[in-house]
Amino acid sequence: MTNTQRFILFFLCGYIMFSIIGCATNIKVPTKITSYPLVDYKGVEHKYTDNFDSFIFPNDNKKLIQYCSFHFDWENIKAVYQKDENGKWNYTYIVNKNKKSFK
């Protein structure tokens, strides 16, 4: 018996053993996203909580207002498509405090 045949036999025996025991069952991981971290162009992290099934981040200078659970303020999120320091094009997020925040 060659090493390849031994490996295949070992793999099949292990698979059968784990499937009998129940360790090879499929685990369902919840995919509902309830919060989203965002790092702005200054490197400051923000965290927004919302219904992300219908949530779309802005692009091309459009503004979105969300409540930041890190800073406890309403914030304006603006996406700008520009080159980064490496010369690659991507979206940069500019985050400012909303003028209607109560603080």
Side-chain angles (χ1 to χ4, degrees):
M1 188 180 278
T2 66
N3 286 338
T4 306
Q5 291 172 335
R6 285 183 185 167
F7 177 75
I8 292 172
L9 182 63
F10 177 76
F11 179 77
L12 289 175
C13 289
Y15 179 76
I16 291 169
M17 185 177 71
F18 283 123
S19 63
I20 290 171
I21 294 172
C23 296
T25 59
N26 292 335
I27 299 172
K28 293 186 178 181
V29 178
T31 57
K32 184 157 177 86
I33 299 172
T34 58
S35 66
Y36 185 82
L38 177 76
V39 178
D40 66 6
Y41 76 102
K42 296 177 187 175
V44 178
E45 187 174 357
H46 306 269
K47 185 177 179 183
Y48 304 106
T49 305
D50 204 339
N51 179 10
F52 287 97
D53 293 339
S54 61
F55 188 81
I56 300 173
F57 267 108
N59 45 7
D60 296 333
N61 291 323
K62 294 179 184 174
K63 187 170 61 172
L64 174 71
I65 300 172
Q66 286 290 307
Y67 186 77
C68 180
S69 58
F70 280 171
H71 302 114
F72 305 107
D73 262 330
W74 289 95
E75 296 177 340
N76 300 326
I77 306 168
K78 185 176 174 183
V80 179
Y81 194 66
Q82 63 184 11
K83 284 186 180 180
D84 61 5
E85 56 272 356
N86 298 327
K88 294 184 180 180
W89 287 91
N90 61 4
Y91 282 103
T92 302
Y93 293 98
I94 300 171
V95 179
N96 298 316
K97 184 177 174 183
N98 187 287
K99 65 182 179 181
K100 293 186 179 181
S101 286
F102 295 109
K103 290 185 179 182

